[in-house]
Amino acid sequence: QVQLVESGGGMVQAGGSLRLSCAASGSIFRVNAMGWYRQAPGKQRELVAADTSGGSTNYADSVKGRFTISRDNAKNTVDLQMNSLKPEDTAVYYCNAQMTIRDGGPWYTLRSLEVWGQGTLVTVSS
C-alpha cells in the first residue's frame, strides 16, 4: 500500500507564513513527480505548485513569488513554504504524487500510480 501523509496546515493571519509537508511511503520504486493542489469552497481543485522528475517546478500565477516547493528525492518528501499569505489562499491543500510502484510480492511488476493525500486545511484570516 502506498500513501501520502500531509502535515502543517492551520490558521494564520494575512501576511503570515505556513509550511506544508508531505511524505510518501509504501512499495515505491520511484516517485516521478510531486506537487500541491488546493480546493477552496465552491471551486475546483487547482494546481498550486509541482516538482517534476526532471527537477523543474511549476507554480500557479497566483502564488508565484510567495510560495516555494521543495522536494527531497531521497526521502520521498515534498514541502510547500507559503509566505505572504492572503485570505484567497484559504483552501484544503492536497499533496499529489505520480509514482512507479512495486506491485506484487517477490515477483513484482512495476506500474504507474497517482496518489493523493487526505488534505490539510489552510485558513488565512484578514
Side-chain angles (χ1 to χ4, degrees), residues 49-52 54-59 68-71:
D51 186 307
T52 67
S56 63
T57 55
N58 299 317
Y59 292 93
T68 302
I69 189 170
S70 59
R71 182 176 162 189

Side-chain angles (χ1 to χ4, degrees), residues 61-81:
D61 288 342
S62 59
V63 307
K64 284 181 180 177
R66 300 188 297 123
F67 291 11
T68 302
I69 189 170
S70 59
R71 182 176 162 189
D72 187 327
N73 292 326
K75 297 180 179 179
N76 290 331
T77 60
V78 65
D79 291 347
L80 184 69
Q81 178 65 42

Side-chain angles (χ1 to χ4, degrees), residues 94-112:
Y94 296 91
C95 181
N96 172 274
Q98 298 173 31
M99 58 182 71
T100 302
I101 65 168
R102 300 181 180 90
D103 192 8
W107 307 105
Y108 63 83
T109 58
L110 299 178
R111 67 180 177 96
S112 298

Side-chain angles (χ1 to χ4, degrees), residues 11-32:
M11 182 178 293
V12 66
Q13 289 188 331
S17 299
L18 282 175
R19 188 177 184 88
L20 305 182
S21 296
C22 173
S25 62
S27 300
I28 300 170
F29 178 78
R30 181 180 61 242
V31 178
N32 301 312

Side-chain angles (χ1 to χ4, degrees), residues 2-9 21-23 36-37 39 45 92-96 115-121:
V2 177
Q3 64 176 354
L4 300 177
V5 178
E6 303 151 342
S7 62
S21 296
C22 173
W36 291 92
Y37 288 70
Q39 187 167 18
R45 190 172 298 188
V92 177
Y93 284 70
Y94 296 91
C95 181
N96 172 274
V115 184
W116 291 90
Q118 78 282 4
T120 184
L121 178 62

